[in-house]
Short mmCIF file of all heavy atoms in Angstrom, two decimals:
data_model
loop_
_atom_site.label_atom_id
_atom_site.label_comp_id
_atom_site.label_asym_id
_atom_site.label_seq_id
_atom_site.Cartn_x
_atom_site.Cartn_y
_atom_site.Cartn_z
N MET D 1270 0.73 -1.11 0.02
CA MET D 1270 -0.08 -0.06 0.00
C MET D 1270 0.94 1.22 -0.02
O MET D 1270 1.73 1.37 0.78
CB MET D 1270 -1.05 -0.03 1.37
CG MET D 1270 -1.65 1.22 1.33
SD MET D 1270 -2.71 1.35 2.91
CE MET D 1270 -3.72 -0.11 2.88
N THR D 1271 0.57 2.15 -0.89
CA THR D 1271 1.38 3.39 -0.96
C THR D 1271 0.77 4.43 0.08
O THR D 1271 -0.27 4.26 0.51
CB THR D 1271 1.35 3.95 -2.23
OG1 THR D 1271 0.06 4.32 -2.68
CG2 THR D 1271 1.83 3.07 -3.39
N SER D 1272 1.45 5.41 0.22
CA SER D 1272 1.02 6.54 1.19
C SER D 1272 -0.25 7.17 0.62
O SER D 1272 -1.09 7.57 1.35
CB SER D 1272 2.19 7.46 1.44
OG SER D 1272 2.49 8.32 0.29
N GLY D 1273 -0.22 7.26 -0.74
CA GLY D 1273 -1.43 7.79 -1.39
C GLY D 1273 -2.66 6.98 -1.21
O GLY D 1273 -3.74 7.48 -0.98
N ASP D 1274 -2.55 5.61 -1.16
CA ASP D 1274 -3.64 4.75 -0.95
C ASP D 1274 -4.11 4.94 0.62
O ASP D 1274 -5.30 4.91 0.82
CB ASP D 1274 -3.26 3.38 -1.08
CG ASP D 1274 -2.97 3.04 -2.58
OD1 ASP D 1274 -3.41 3.72 -3.42
OD2 ASP D 1274 -2.24 2.04 -2.82
N ALA D 1275 -3.13 5.07 1.45
CA ALA D 1275 -3.55 5.12 2.85
C ALA D 1275 -4.19 6.47 3.03
O ALA D 1275 -5.19 6.52 3.89
CB ALA D 1275 -2.26 5.15 3.77
N ILE D 1276 -3.89 7.54 2.47
CA ILE D 1276 -4.51 8.90 2.64
C ILE D 1276 -5.94 8.78 2.11
O ILE D 1276 -6.79 9.26 2.57
CB ILE D 1276 -3.65 10.04 1.95
CG1 ILE D 1276 -2.37 10.24 2.82
CG2 ILE D 1276 -4.41 11.20 1.82
CD1 ILE D 1276 -1.38 11.05 2.10
N GLN D 1277 -6.05 8.07 0.91
CA GLN D 1277 -7.38 7.94 0.29
C GLN D 1277 -8.23 7.11 1.26
O GLN D 1277 -9.47 7.64 1.31
CB GLN D 1277 -7.25 7.25 -1.12
CG GLN D 1277 -8.53 7.08 -1.84
CD GLN D 1277 -9.18 8.42 -2.14
OE1 GLN D 1277 -8.51 9.33 -2.47
NE2 GLN D 1277 -10.50 8.46 -2.21
N ARG D 1278 -7.80 6.10 1.72
CA ARG D 1278 -8.65 5.22 2.75
C ARG D 1278 -8.96 6.06 3.97
O ARG D 1278 -10.13 6.03 4.46
CB ARG D 1278 -7.92 3.97 3.12
CG ARG D 1278 -7.75 3.02 1.93
CD ARG D 1278 -7.08 1.74 2.39
NE ARG D 1278 -7.86 1.13 3.49
CZ ARG D 1278 -7.17 0.22 4.23
NH1 ARG D 1278 -5.94 -0.24 4.01
NH2 ARG D 1278 -7.97 -0.40 5.14
N MET D 1279 -8.04 6.91 4.46
CA MET D 1279 -8.38 7.75 5.61
C MET D 1279 -9.42 8.84 5.28
O MET D 1279 -10.44 9.11 5.99
CB MET D 1279 -7.13 8.45 6.11
CG MET D 1279 -6.49 7.71 7.18
SD MET D 1279 -5.22 8.83 8.23
CE MET D 1279 -4.70 10.03 7.09
N ALA D 1280 -9.35 9.46 4.13
CA ALA D 1280 -10.28 10.37 3.61
C ALA D 1280 -11.66 9.76 3.46
O ALA D 1280 -12.71 10.41 3.92
CB ALA D 1280 -9.89 11.05 2.32
N GLU D 1281 -11.79 8.57 2.86
CA GLU D 1281 -13.12 7.84 2.83
C GLU D 1281 -13.58 7.57 4.13
O GLU D 1281 -14.92 7.73 4.32
CB GLU D 1281 -12.81 6.72 1.91
CG GLU D 1281 -12.61 6.94 0.55
CD GLU D 1281 -12.20 5.73 -0.26
OE1 GLU D 1281 -12.13 4.59 0.38
OE2 GLU D 1281 -11.92 5.81 -1.54
N ALA D 1282 -12.71 7.20 5.14
CA ALA D 1282 -13.31 6.82 6.40
C ALA D 1282 -13.88 8.04 7.23
O ALA D 1282 -14.76 7.92 7.97
CB ALA D 1282 -12.21 6.16 7.23
N LEU D 1283 -13.14 9.11 6.94
CA LEU D 1283 -13.54 10.31 7.70
C LEU D 1283 -14.61 11.12 6.97
O LEU D 1283 -15.10 12.20 7.61
CB LEU D 1283 -12.25 11.17 7.97
CG LEU D 1283 -11.29 10.62 8.82
CD1 LEU D 1283 -10.01 11.58 8.98
CD2 LEU D 1283 -11.85 10.43 10.33
N ALA D 1284 -15.03 10.74 5.91
CA ALA D 1284 -16.02 11.52 5.09
C ALA D 1284 -17.33 11.80 5.72
O ALA D 1284 -17.85 12.81 5.61
CB ALA D 1284 -16.20 10.91 3.71
N ASP D 1285 -17.77 10.81 6.38
CA ASP D 1285 -19.06 10.85 7.02
C ASP D 1285 -19.08 11.28 8.52
O ASP D 1285 -20.09 11.19 9.26
CB ASP D 1285 -19.83 9.49 7.01
CG ASP D 1285 -20.10 9.22 5.48
OD1 ASP D 1285 -20.35 10.07 4.75
OD2 ASP D 1285 -20.18 7.87 5.20
N VAL D 1286 -17.89 11.61 9.00
CA VAL D 1286 -17.67 11.96 10.36
C VAL D 1286 -17.85 13.47 10.56
O VAL D 1286 -17.46 14.19 9.74
CB VAL D 1286 -16.26 11.47 10.99
CG1 VAL D 1286 -16.04 11.94 12.31
CG2 VAL D 1286 -16.07 10.01 10.79
N PRO D 1287 -18.54 13.96 11.72
CA PRO D 1287 -18.66 15.40 11.88
C PRO D 1287 -17.25 16.08 11.93
O PRO D 1287 -16.26 15.35 12.32
CB PRO D 1287 -19.29 15.50 13.19
CG PRO D 1287 -20.08 14.19 13.37
CD PRO D 1287 -19.23 13.19 12.70
N GLU D 1288 -17.16 17.40 11.50
CA GLU D 1288 -15.81 18.03 11.58
C GLU D 1288 -15.13 17.91 12.88
O GLU D 1288 -13.89 17.69 12.73
CB GLU D 1288 -16.12 19.49 10.97
CG GLU D 1288 -14.77 20.17 10.80
CD GLU D 1288 -14.94 21.62 10.23
OE1 GLU D 1288 -16.08 21.97 10.07
OE2 GLU D 1288 -13.94 22.20 9.95
N ALA D 1289 -15.85 18.21 13.89
CA ALA D 1289 -15.09 18.21 15.22
C ALA D 1289 -14.37 16.96 15.53
O ALA D 1289 -13.29 16.75 16.14
CB ALA D 1289 -16.10 18.55 16.27
N ASP D 1290 -15.15 15.93 15.27
CA ASP D 1290 -14.61 14.56 15.43
C ASP D 1290 -13.40 14.22 14.51
O ASP D 1290 -12.41 13.54 14.71
CB ASP D 1290 -15.66 13.43 15.30
CG ASP D 1290 -16.80 13.43 16.34
OD1 ASP D 1290 -16.43 14.15 17.40
OD2 ASP D 1290 -17.88 12.94 16.18
N ARG D 1291 -13.66 14.76 13.26
CA ARG D 1291 -12.48 14.56 12.28
C ARG D 1291 -11.25 15.16 12.77
O ARG D 1291 -10.19 14.66 12.54
CB ARG D 1291 -12.94 15.22 10.99
CG ARG D 1291 -12.44 14.64 9.72
CD ARG D 1291 -13.01 15.16 8.47
NE ARG D 1291 -14.32 15.34 8.51
CZ ARG D 1291 -15.18 16.28 7.90
NH1 ARG D 1291 -14.56 17.04 7.25
NH2 ARG D 1291 -16.42 16.28 8.07
N ILE D 1292 -11.40 16.42 13.34
CA ILE D 1292 -10.17 17.13 13.74
C ILE D 1292 -9.58 16.45 14.94
O ILE D 1292 -8.29 16.34 15.02
CB ILE D 1292 -10.65 18.54 14.22
CG1 ILE D 1292 -10.95 19.50 13.08
CG2 ILE D 1292 -9.49 19.30 15.03
CD1 ILE D 1292 -11.67 20.69 13.23
N GLU D 1293 -10.38 15.97 15.90
CA GLU D 1293 -9.78 15.13 17.02
C GLU D 1293 -9.15 13.96 16.50
O GLU D 1293 -8.05 13.57 17.01
CB GLU D 1293 -10.98 14.72 17.96
CG GLU D 1293 -11.33 15.92 18.76
CD GLU D 1293 -10.18 16.71 19.50
OE1 GLU D 1293 -9.43 16.02 20.12
OE2 GLU D 1293 -10.08 17.90 19.52
N ALA D 1294 -9.56 13.17 15.56
CA ALA D 1294 -8.99 11.86 14.99
C ALA D 1294 -7.62 12.34 14.36
O ALA D 1294 -6.75 11.61 14.65
CB ALA D 1294 -10.07 11.23 14.07
N LEU D 1295 -7.65 13.44 13.67
CA LEU D 1295 -6.33 13.81 12.87
C LEU D 1295 -5.34 14.31 13.99
O LEU D 1295 -4.17 13.92 13.77
CB LEU D 1295 -6.59 14.78 11.81
CG LEU D 1295 -7.39 14.31 10.68
CD1 LEU D 1295 -7.81 15.39 9.81
CD2 LEU D 1295 -6.75 13.18 9.87
N ARG D 1296 -5.78 14.95 15.13
CA ARG D 1296 -4.85 15.34 16.01
C ARG D 1296 -4.29 14.10 16.68
O ARG D 1296 -3.12 14.09 17.14
CB ARG D 1296 -5.61 16.34 17.01
CG ARG D 1296 -5.58 17.69 16.57
CD ARG D 1296 -6.01 18.69 17.71
NE ARG D 1296 -6.34 19.84 17.32
CZ ARG D 1296 -7.44 20.54 17.62
NH1 ARG D 1296 -8.16 20.16 18.55
NH2 ARG D 1296 -7.65 21.78 17.12
N GLY D 1297 -5.13 13.16 17.01
CA GLY D 1297 -4.75 11.89 17.62
C GLY D 1297 -3.64 11.20 16.85
O GLY D 1297 -2.71 10.48 17.42
N LEU D 1298 -3.65 11.42 15.57
CA LEU D 1298 -2.61 10.89 14.62
C LEU D 1298 -1.41 11.75 14.43
O LEU D 1298 -0.39 11.35 13.87
CB LEU D 1298 -3.17 10.61 13.18
CG LEU D 1298 -4.26 9.50 13.12
CD1 LEU D 1298 -4.93 9.62 11.74
CD2 LEU D 1298 -3.76 8.03 13.45
N GLY D 1299 -1.39 12.83 15.19
CA GLY D 1299 -0.23 13.75 15.17
C GLY D 1299 -0.33 14.90 14.18
O GLY D 1299 0.74 15.57 13.94
N ALA D 1300 -1.37 15.11 13.52
CA ALA D 1300 -1.58 16.08 12.53
C ALA D 1300 -1.69 17.50 13.30
O ALA D 1300 -2.14 17.57 14.31
CB ALA D 1300 -2.89 15.91 11.71
N LYS D 1301 -1.10 18.44 12.64
CA LYS D 1301 -1.08 19.77 13.41
C LYS D 1301 -1.97 20.63 12.52
O LYS D 1301 -2.16 20.41 11.29
CB LYS D 1301 0.42 20.33 13.40
CG LYS D 1301 1.29 19.55 14.28
CD LYS D 1301 2.63 20.08 14.44
CE LYS D 1301 3.57 19.42 15.31
NZ LYS D 1301 4.99 19.83 15.21
N GLU D 1302 -2.42 21.78 13.01
CA GLU D 1302 -3.19 22.58 12.29
C GLU D 1302 -2.26 23.39 11.21
O GLU D 1302 -1.11 23.62 11.53
CB GLU D 1302 -3.93 23.76 13.19
CG GLU D 1302 -5.05 23.13 13.92
CD GLU D 1302 -5.74 24.38 14.62
OE1 GLU D 1302 -5.94 25.39 14.02
OE2 GLU D 1302 -6.16 24.06 15.72
N ARG D 1303 -2.80 23.59 10.02
CA ARG D 1303 -2.05 24.21 9.06
C ARG D 1303 -1.87 25.71 9.31
O ARG D 1303 -2.86 26.35 9.64
CB ARG D 1303 -2.83 24.03 7.66
CG ARG D 1303 -2.08 24.46 6.50
CD ARG D 1303 -2.85 23.98 5.29
NE ARG D 1303 -4.29 24.13 5.47
CZ ARG D 1303 -5.05 24.37 4.30
NH1 ARG D 1303 -4.55 24.38 3.19
NH2 ARG D 1303 -6.32 24.51 4.54
N GLU D 1304 -0.70 26.15 9.12
CA GLU D 1304 -0.48 27.66 9.15
C GLU D 1304 -1.01 28.34 8.02
O GLU D 1304 -0.77 27.85 6.90
CB GLU D 1304 0.92 27.92 9.50
CG GLU D 1304 1.58 27.38 10.79
CD GLU D 1304 2.86 27.84 11.03
OE1 GLU D 1304 3.50 28.71 10.22
OE2 GLU D 1304 3.65 27.26 11.86
N GLN D 1305 -1.56 29.48 8.27
CA GLN D 1305 -2.11 30.31 7.11
C GLN D 1305 -0.87 30.97 6.54
O GLN D 1305 -0.02 31.51 7.11
CB GLN D 1305 -3.05 31.38 7.67
CG GLN D 1305 -4.39 30.81 8.04
CD GLN D 1305 -5.21 30.30 7.11
OE1 GLN D 1305 -5.16 30.77 5.85
NE2 GLN D 1305 -6.06 29.27 7.35
N ALA D 1306 -0.95 30.88 5.18
CA ALA D 1306 0.14 31.68 4.40
C ALA D 1306 -0.14 33.12 4.50
O ALA D 1306 -1.27 33.53 4.48
CB ALA D 1306 0.13 31.11 2.92
N PRO D 1307 0.98 33.93 4.58
CA PRO D 1307 0.74 35.26 4.68
C PRO D 1307 0.03 35.73 3.43
O PRO D 1307 0.47 35.48 2.27
CB PRO D 1307 2.08 35.90 4.89
CG PRO D 1307 3.09 34.97 4.56
CD PRO D 1307 2.27 33.41 4.55
N ARG D 1308 -0.93 36.67 3.54
CA ARG D 1308 -1.55 37.28 2.38
C ARG D 1308 -0.86 38.35 1.84
O ARG D 1308 -0.32 39.08 2.64
CB ARG D 1308 -2.96 37.63 2.84
CG ARG D 1308 -4.01 36.63 3.11
CD ARG D 1308 -5.29 37.17 3.33
NE ARG D 1308 -6.22 36.08 3.71
CZ ARG D 1308 -7.39 36.24 3.76
NH1 ARG D 1308 -8.14 37.34 3.42
NH2 ARG D 1308 -8.27 35.12 4.05
N PRO D 1309 -0.90 38.50 0.55
CA PRO D 1309 -0.07 39.55 0.01
C PRO D 1309 -0.84 40.91 0.36
O PRO D 1309 -2.02 40.97 0.35
CB PRO D 1309 -0.10 39.30 -1.56
CG PRO D 1309 -1.11 38.35 -1.73
CD PRO D 1309 -1.41 37.61 -0.51
N GLU D 1310 0.04 41.85 0.68
CA GLU D 1310 -0.47 43.10 1.04
C GLU D 1310 -1.08 43.88 -0.23
O GLU D 1310 -0.53 43.87 -1.24
CB GLU D 1310 0.52 44.09 1.75
CG GLU D 1310 0.96 43.54 3.12
CD GLU D 1310 2.08 44.44 3.67
OE1 GLU D 1310 2.02 45.57 3.39
OE2 GLU D 1310 2.85 43.97 4.60
N ARG D 1311 -2.11 44.42 0.03
CA ARG D 1311 -2.82 45.11 -1.05
C ARG D 1311 -2.07 46.59 -1.23
O ARG D 1311 -1.91 47.18 -0.15
CB ARG D 1311 -4.24 45.46 -0.91
CG ARG D 1311 -5.10 44.10 -0.99
CD ARG D 1311 -6.44 44.26 -0.92
NE ARG D 1311 -7.20 43.15 -1.04
CZ ARG D 1311 -8.59 43.02 -1.01
NH1 ARG D 1311 -9.28 44.10 -1.00
NH2 ARG D 1311 -9.07 41.85 -1.12
N ARG D 1312 -1.67 46.92 -2.37
CA ARG D 1312 -1.16 48.24 -2.41
C ARG D 1312 -2.16 49.18 -3.22
O ARG D 1312 -2.95 48.86 -4.10
CB ARG D 1312 0.11 48.04 -3.49
CG ARG D 1312 1.18 47.15 -2.94
CD ARG D 1312 2.32 47.19 -3.80
NE ARG D 1312 3.49 46.48 -3.24
CZ ARG D 1312 4.69 46.66 -3.35
NH1 ARG D 1312 5.06 47.51 -4.46
NH2 ARG D 1312 5.61 46.03 -2.89
N THR D 1313 -2.06 50.31 -2.60
CA THR D 1313 -3.00 51.45 -3.09
C THR D 1313 -2.34 51.85 -4.48
O THR D 1313 -1.29 52.25 -4.39
CB THR D 1313 -3.11 52.51 -2.10
OG1 THR D 1313 -3.45 51.92 -0.75
CG2 THR D 1313 -3.95 53.57 -2.46
N PRO D 1314 -3.19 51.97 -5.42
CA PRO D 1314 -2.68 52.50 -6.66
C PRO D 1314 -2.25 53.92 -6.57
O PRO D 1314 -2.76 54.72 -5.67
CB PRO D 1314 -3.89 52.36 -7.67
CG PRO D 1314 -5.09 52.21 -6.74
CD PRO D 1314 -4.64 51.74 -5.47
N LEU D 1315 -1.35 54.36 -7.32
CA LEU D 1315 -0.87 55.76 -7.36
C LEU D 1315 -2.06 56.65 -7.81
O LEU D 1315 -2.85 56.36 -8.61
CB LEU D 1315 0.25 55.85 -8.33
CG LEU D 1315 1.59 55.15 -7.96
CD1 LEU D 1315 2.57 55.30 -8.98
CD2 LEU D 1315 2.12 55.70 -6.70
N PRO D 1316 -2.11 57.82 -7.15
CA PRO D 1316 -3.16 58.79 -7.57
C PRO D 1316 -2.86 59.15 -9.02
O PRO D 1316 -1.89 59.11 -9.57
CB PRO D 1316 -3.00 59.94 -6.60
CG PRO D 1316 -1.64 59.84 -6.18
CD PRO D 1316 -1.22 58.35 -6.14
N ALA D 1317 -3.99 59.66 -9.59
CA ALA D 1317 -4.06 60.17 -11.01
C ALA D 1317 -3.01 61.34 -11.00
O ALA D 1317 -2.96 62.27 -10.13
CB ALA D 1317 -5.36 60.59 -11.53
N PRO D 1318 -2.23 61.52 -12.12
CA PRO D 1318 -1.33 62.74 -12.24
C PRO D 1318 -2.17 63.99 -12.28
O PRO D 1318 -3.21 63.95 -12.81
CB PRO D 1318 -0.61 62.53 -13.44
CG PRO D 1318 -1.35 61.42 -14.26
CD PRO D 1318 -2.13 60.70 -13.35
N ARG D 1319 -1.58 65.01 -11.50
CA ARG D 1319 -2.39 66.30 -11.45
C ARG D 1319 -1.94 67.21 -12.76
O ARG D 1319 -0.85 66.99 -13.11
CB ARG D 1319 -1.95 67.02 -10.22
CG ARG D 1319 -2.59 66.29 -8.97
CD ARG D 1319 -2.38 67.12 -7.70
NE ARG D 1319 -1.05 66.57 -7.13
CZ ARG D 1319 -0.36 67.29 -6.17
NH1 ARG D 1319 -0.77 68.30 -5.67
NH2 ARG D 1319 0.76 66.79 -5.79
N GLN D 1320 -2.74 67.98 -12.99
CA GLN D 1320 -2.52 68.78 -14.22
C GLN D 1320 -2.11 70.24 -13.71
O GLN D 1320 -2.25 71.14 -14.55
CB GLN D 1320 -3.74 68.99 -14.98
CG GLN D 1320 -4.38 67.56 -15.57
CD GLN D 1320 -3.24 66.89 -16.51
OE1 GLN D 1320 -2.68 67.60 -17.29
NE2 GLN D 1320 -3.30 65.63 -16.50
N ASP D 1321 -1.51 70.25 -12.49
CA ASP D 1321 -1.03 71.63 -12.06
C ASP D 1321 0.31 71.99 -12.63
O ASP D 1321 1.26 71.26 -12.71
CB ASP D 1321 -0.77 71.31 -10.46
CG ASP D 1321 -0.55 72.82 -9.79
OD1 ASP D 1321 -0.55 73.72 -10.57
OD2 ASP D 1321 -0.38 72.72 -8.62
N SER D 1322 0.22 73.17 -13.35
CA SER D 1322 1.39 73.68 -14.20
C SER D 1322 2.49 74.16 -13.14
O SER D 1322 3.53 74.48 -13.52
CB SER D 1322 1.01 74.64 -15.14
OG SER D 1322 0.36 75.80 -14.32
N GLY D 1323 2.25 74.31 -11.83
CA GLY D 1323 3.07 74.79 -10.79
C GLY D 1323 4.07 73.79 -10.41
O GLY D 1323 5.17 74.03 -9.84
N ILE D 1324 3.78 72.38 -10.83
CA ILE D 1324 4.80 71.47 -10.42
C ILE D 1324 5.89 71.25 -11.47
O ILE D 1324 5.47 71.09 -12.72
CB ILE D 1324 4.00 70.08 -10.35
CG1 ILE D 1324 3.04 70.25 -9.06
CG2 ILE D 1324 4.97 68.98 -9.91
CD1 ILE D 1324 2.12 68.93 -8.96
N VAL D 1325 7.08 71.30 -11.04
CA VAL D 1325 8.17 71.16 -12.02
C VAL D 1325 8.97 69.79 -11.76
O VAL D 1325 9.30 69.51 -10.57
CB VAL D 1325 9.05 72.39 -12.00
CG1 VAL D 1325 10.28 72.21 -12.86
CG2 VAL D 1325 8.48 73.73 -12.09
N SER D 1326 9.16 69.04 -12.81
CA SER D 1326 9.80 67.75 -12.59
C SER D 1326 11.30 67.89 -12.57
O SER D 1326 11.82 68.90 -13.38
CB SER D 1326 9.38 66.90 -13.77
OG SER D 1326 10.11 65.71 -13.52
N ALA D 1327 11.96 67.21 -11.73
CA ALA D 1327 13.37 67.06 -11.64
C ALA D 1327 13.95 66.31 -12.64
O ALA D 1327 15.21 66.34 -12.85
CB ALA D 1327 13.85 66.74 -10.27
N VAL D 1328 13.23 65.61 -13.62
CA VAL D 1328 13.76 64.90 -14.62
C VAL D 1328 13.87 65.56 -15.84
O VAL D 1328 12.75 66.25 -16.29
CB VAL D 1328 12.94 63.61 -14.70
CG1 VAL D 1328 13.31 62.67 -15.81
CG2 VAL D 1328 12.77 62.79 -13.39
N GLU D 1329 14.94 65.48 -16.61
CA GLU D 1329 14.99 66.22 -17.88
C GLU D 1329 14.98 65.10 -18.83
O GLU D 1329 15.78 64.12 -18.90
CB GLU D 1329 16.33 66.98 -17.93
CG GLU D 1329 16.49 67.63 -19.24
CD GLU D 1329 17.77 68.38 -19.30
OE1 GLU D 1329 18.39 68.66 -18.26
OE2 GLU D 1329 18.36 68.67 -20.34
N TRP D 1330 14.19 65.23 -19.87
CA TRP D 1330 13.94 64.15 -20.92
C TRP D 1330 14.99 64.60 -22.04
O TRP D 1330 15.05 65.90 -22.53
CB TRP D 1330 12.60 64.18 -21.52
CG TRP D 1330 11.50 63.75 -20.49
CD1 TRP D 1330 10.84 64.44 -19.67
CD2 TRP D 1330 11.27 62.31 -20.13
NE1 TRP D 1330 10.10 63.62 -18.74
CE2 TRP D 1330 10.34 62.44 -19.06
CE3 TRP D 1330 11.87 61.18 -20.57
CZ2 TRP D 1330 9.91 61.19 -18.56
CZ3 TRP D 1330 11.28 60.00 -20.02
CH2 TRP D 1330 10.34 59.95 -18.95
N VAL D 1331 15.71 63.70 -22.56
CA VAL D 1331 16.53 63.92 -23.60
C VAL D 1331 16.19 63.12 -24.82
O VAL D 1331 15.63 62.23 -24.85
CB VAL D 1331 18.07 63.67 -23.27
CG1 VAL D 1331 18.66 64.81 -22.40
CG2 VAL D 1331 18.25 62.32 -22.58
#
């Protein structure tokens, strides 16, 4: 029996068991809760460029 077969048999056996009982059974086998992967931070988009003629850019285009 491969590990994949064993996992499939466990999944089938636990399919009809309530979630709380399933969690306890898996903890008894040594399973740990899965850590949440960090969510990527949402970045605020840059504001639309202003049409103010009083702003002078320090970049010179050549």
Side-chain angles (χ1 to χ4, degrees):
M1270 175 186 300
T1271 66
S1272 62
D1274 294 336
I1276 292 172
Q1277 181 64 34
R1278 287 181 60 198
M1279 268 195 334
E1281 290 170 358
L1283 295 173
D1285 296 329
V1286 177
E1288 184 176 3
D1290 294 341
R1291 208 175 318 152
I1292 291 169
E1293 287 303 316
L1295 292 172
R1296 275 195 195 132
L1298 293 171
K1301 297 179 182 176
E1302 287 189 35
R1303 186 172 42 152
E1304 292 183 15
Q1305 293 288 331
R1308 292 185 178 195
E1310 294 182 24
R1311 292 185 180 183
R1312 295 184 174 207
T1313 305
L1315 295 173
R1319 292 186 269 170
Q1320 299 298 325
D1321 188 0
S1322 59
I1324 298 175
V1325 179
S1326 175
V1328 177
E1329 180 179 341
W1330 296 97
V1331 281

